[in-house]
Amino acid sequence: MSSPSDAEVIGRSMGDPEAFGLIYDRHAVALLRFLGRRAGAKIAEGLVGELFRIAFERRKTFDGSRASALPWLYGIGSNLLLKHRRGEARRLRASARMAADGERADRRAGAAALDARLLFPRVANAIEALPDDEREALLLFAWEELPYQSVAEALDLPIDTVRSRLNRARARLRELLEPKGKGRVRSQ
Amino acid sequence: MKPVDLARKLRREAAFKPAALDRGKETLMAAIQQEVEPRRPTVIPQLPYADIRAALSFLERAFGFREIRATRLEGADGVVHHALVEFGDSVIGIGTQGAHGAVSPQRGGIESQYLSVAVADVAAHYQRARAAGARIAREPRGHGAEAHAYEAFDPEGHRWRFVHQRLREVPQERTRA
């Protein structure tokens, strides 16, 4: 017997709310890791229950034509993270320092156009300076490895809009890598 | 290196406490439990309003209803299409003017029914409703039971009757086989 799809489970939870527990069992690990990558373990641990509580309360808005609830849950998580931008920024800077150290230990980095010590903090700053909607699309795509369609479902946007946001985000990041790149990040 | 690949280099896993997932599940199950416990009434009167948000705010402030927040139906644009409010052991639906053929008195010009609500303290309820700006249709005066009941309009003209809980409209002792 095949297990019911998320859409079927959520449909059943309308009359039998406790059925929604299965959605947690299926996806909580992925969402906890997602929140952790973005905002660190402490914030993520506090948010994961909240995320699923909100999902449960909004389960009527879940589009039953989508088999998996995962992109929808990512979308709720993305919204929750907006309140934790400072924690995210701190974590991003720390990750940049660690990445820079890692690259320096790795001698191959010597040939890189920009010293890793400079490069990664710039990447972090650039990600940080992206408008919320572009940063969200970029990180769901690059870190969570969601396909465009899932990013679109998570952010509740047409797929073409996701594509153009990702292109804009790429272009902004690319400015950093130009040979004579001024290394300055436009903040807006 | 491509921009997206550079961004990927900054992806870093967090180290969680082993119990992290259990606490999250407790939060969820507590929310689920809250929804399981409320009764599932057989009959739910549905009242149409042109402005549901304003109606919810008024019904809470003036009459002491409480919205069952988890059941609110809200569009992506933030417009509330339907909500449920509870009072005592009863539930009322707050719906959209015109939907299901139901018309707000504000639009229709006349109310086609009134709702009778049993409360513990009519005088206190009356004061609260007045303070919140409810238009009083009938004061809690008169003889017998009528001294312990009053009627008021909400902002869209639905008429509400509040009566002492001992004087409910269908007392047990008066029902005959």
Side-chain angles (χ1 to χ4, degrees), chain A residues 34-49:
Chain A
F34 159 62
L35 296 169
R37 283 191 279 269
R38 293 287 295 274
K42 201 172 165 198
I43 292 174
E45 286 169 10
L47 284 183
V48 68

Side-chain angles (χ1 to χ4, degrees), chain A residues 15-34:
Chain A
D16 173 16
E18 278 159 327
F20 200 85
L22 187 55
I23 298 296
Y24 188 91
D25 298 339
R26 284 180 180 177
H27 299 303
V29 171
L31 271 303
L32 180 66
R33 288 193 181 137
F34 159 62

Side-chain angles (χ1 to χ4, degrees), chain A residues 92-93 95-97 99-101 103-104 109-127 173-178 181 183 185, chain B residues 1-3 5-7 9-10:
Chain A
L92 201 54
R93 283 196 296 274
S95 297
R97 281 195 297 276
D101 289 346
E103 291 284 320
R104 259 184 301 170
L114 277 164
D115 190 312
R117 232 174 353 166
L118 296 174
L119 177 61
F120 285 113
R122 278 187 194 173
V123 176
N125 284 341
I127 294 174
L173 292 185
R174 200 172 290 119
E175 284 175 22
L176 294 165
L177 304 171
E178 285 171 4
V185 178
Chain B
M1 205 182 285
K2 286 181 184 163
D5 293 328
L6 272 177
K9 290 266 186 186
L10 297 186

Side-chain angles (χ1 to χ4, degrees), chain A residues 34-40 78 81 87-88 91 135-136 139 143:
Chain A
F34 159 62
L35 296 169
R37 283 191 279 269
R38 293 287 295 274
S78 288
L81 284 169
E88 263 200 72
R91 181 172 174 84
R135 192 185 61 250
E136 214 49 55
L139 293 181
W143 286 8

Side-chain angles (χ1 to χ4, degrees), chain B residues 49 54-55 57-65 122-140 150-162:
Chain B
Y49 286 88
S57 161
F58 177 85
L59 294 177
E60 291 185 357
R61 262 182 310 117
F63 295 164
F65 280 81
V122 173
H125 197 275
Y126 168 79
Q127 292 303 338
R128 173 181 179 163
R130 272 188 57 148
R135 191 154 55 85
I136 304 299
R138 210 192 61 77
E139 301 283 337
Y150 79 97
E151 293 174 22
F153 293 107
D154 68 28
E156 295 199 16
H158 287 291
R159 189 167 176 141
W160 298 77
R161 175 175 166 85
F162 296 95

Side-chain angles (χ1 to χ4, degrees), chain A residues 24-25 59 91 95 143, chain B residues 11-13 21 25 35:
Chain A
Y24 188 91
D25 298 339
R59 66 196 190 283
R91 181 172 174 84
S95 297
W143 286 8
Chain B
R11 173 184 149 136
R12 184 161 58 96
E13 299 302 320
L21 282 173
K25 182 133 192 201
E35 196 178 304

